[in-house]
Structures are given as structure tokens and as C-alpha cells.
Amino acid sequence: MRTGQPANSGRPTTSTKTRFWFDPRFALGLVLVVASIVGVSVVVAGSDRTVAVYAARVPLAVGDRLDAADLVETDVRIGAAVELYLTPSLVPADGLVVTRTVTAGELVPASAVGTRAGEAVTSLVLDLRGRLSTSLAAGSVVDVWSAGEVESGLFGPPAVLVGRAAIVRILEPSGLIQSGDGRAVEVLVPKDKVAAVLEAIANDEALSLVAVNAPIGG
């Protein structure tokens, strides 16, 4: 029996130091998780931002002069869509003109107003022959048709006198004497068409309105 030799003689020694294991896929996954968290935080923070836009204090009809007193400042969360609505910075000192009907409490679209400096329309009252369509109301866009009288009580073929005019309001009949089934309607017409419309009125031509658009749910 041999003595004096180490018990583990002839066997390789095992290191007790632990090696660090690194997988690039783990690092990539960690980066993606962090980026996702940051992205969600940015989206949530953005959705919490409110901006001031105007809502109509009262119903606004086509042709109305619009001032800040007619509006209510409202804080809403609409993100990038804020460009579609009227904000305090868009209202000039001399006010605006309504070009499309807006109901009370509705956010005012920027496309529903225009500057007074650029007004190119004026309002005229038309006495119509025959009945007015029940689908028409303030804000409706209509074509104005006219037909000239060729003989007593006989009219020639009608033609479009003004295209895409806007109804300001429908005037209710008043007084004891009514002119048949006709109605008086105030409409906005381009200024370059005023002379033609006034001529048609002076010649007692038959005027009618034909709807270009129809209100949803009307």
C-alpha cells in the first residue's frame, strides 16, 4: 500500500468560478420591452392632453355674423383633429361669418366659418312658386331655378339661375292675405349673381329651389 500521494492524483481539477452567460437575443428582447413601455406612456400622456376649441352657444345659421360672445370655449381631447375645429387663435378681432349651419352645443368646424373680409355672398329674399320641399331648412344647399313667362300664365323651360346657394332661413307666412302655396325664402347668393337674380325677380319669373344636399336623419 502506497502512502503520501494526494487522493485526487491523476484527475483534472474543476474550477469553482462561475462563467457569465450572455445571449444577444435576451438583450434584444429587453430593449423591445423597454421601447414598448415608453411608447405606451407617450400615447397615454398625449391622450390626456386637452385643447380649447369653440362650441356654439346658440344655433348658428348661414350668413350670421359670428363673434366670441356667440361661442363657448370648451376643453376637449381630440388630438391631431384639433385642426378641424375653431380655436380661439382662429377668431379675428372683426369676427367671422357662418357658412354652414351649426347647432347649439356643437363644436364649430373650422370649415363652417369664413372671414368677413372675404365675404363674396349676400342674402336675398325669393318668393317661390309652388310648395317648398319639407326636406329643406336653414343651412340646406340648393340650386335656384327660374322660368320666364312666355305667354299669359305660361312659362318657358326652367334653367339654373344660381348654383349651390345656401338657405339662411325660411320665412313664415304673415298677414291675412297669402300668395297661394308659395313661400318666401332668404338665401345666400354670390355677389356676381345678384344682378341676374334681381332681374328675374323684377320680371316676375317663376323661381324654385332644388336641394343639392339632404340633412342626415331629416
Side-chain angles (χ1 to χ4, degrees):
M1 180 176 180
R2 298 180 179 179
T3 59
Q5 295 182 355
N8 59 350
S9 177
R11 297 180 181 178
T13 58
T14 303
S15 175
T16 58
K17 180 182 290 187
T18 302
R19 293 181 179 180
F20 178 76
W21 174 80
F22 177 80
D23 188 342
R25 292 174 297 181
F26 173 77
L28 178 60
L30 184 61
V31 170
L32 292 176
V33 170
V34 172
S36 177
I37 294 174
V38 172
V40 171
S41 300
V42 170
V43 171
V44 171
S47 64
D48 283 340
R49 294 177 183 172
T50 60
V51 293
V53 299
Y54 278 132
R57 186 185 302 275
V58 295
L60 304 175
V62 177
D64 283 351
R65 299 295 182 93
L66 184 63
D67 297 299
D70 303 312
L71 303 167
V72 178
E73 191 170 313
T74 307
D75 292 327
V76 294
R77 294 187 180 94
I78 51 179
V82 65
E83 297 179 358
L84 301 178
Y85 295 95
L86 184 65
T87 59
S89 62
L90 296 179
V91 180
D94 57 348
L96 298 165
V97 175
V98 179
T99 58
R100 205 171 73 206
T101 300
V102 181
T103 59
E106 178 185 353
L107 296 181
V108 180
S111 60
V113 295
T115 61
R116 293 181 182 176
E119 285 184 78
V121 295
T122 190
S123 61
L124 294 174
V125 175
L126 307 179
D127 290 318
L128 307 179
R129 297 289 182 97
R131 295 183 179 180
L132 186 68
S133 172
T134 57
S135 66
L136 297 180
S140 296
V141 179
V142 295
D143 289 336
V144 180
W145 289 70
S146 69
E149 189 173 15
V150 294
E151 294 182 24
S152 179
L154 297 177
F155 294 84
V160 176
L161 182 61
V162 180
R164 299 190 65 82
I167 293 179
V168 177
R169 59 183 58 84
I170 298 173
L171 304 178
E172 295 298 329
S174 60
L176 299 177
I177 301 177
Q178 305 297 334
S179 56
D181 293 327
R183 296 292 295 273
V185 179
E186 184 178 354
V187 298
L188 283 181
V189 300
K191 289 184 177 179
D192 60 359
K193 294 289 186 180
V194 170
V197 175
L198 292 178
E199 182 180 359
I201 294 173
N203 292 334
D204 201 23
E205 296 183 12
L207 300 177
S208 302
L209 302 182
V210 178
V212 174
N213 67 349
I216 297 176

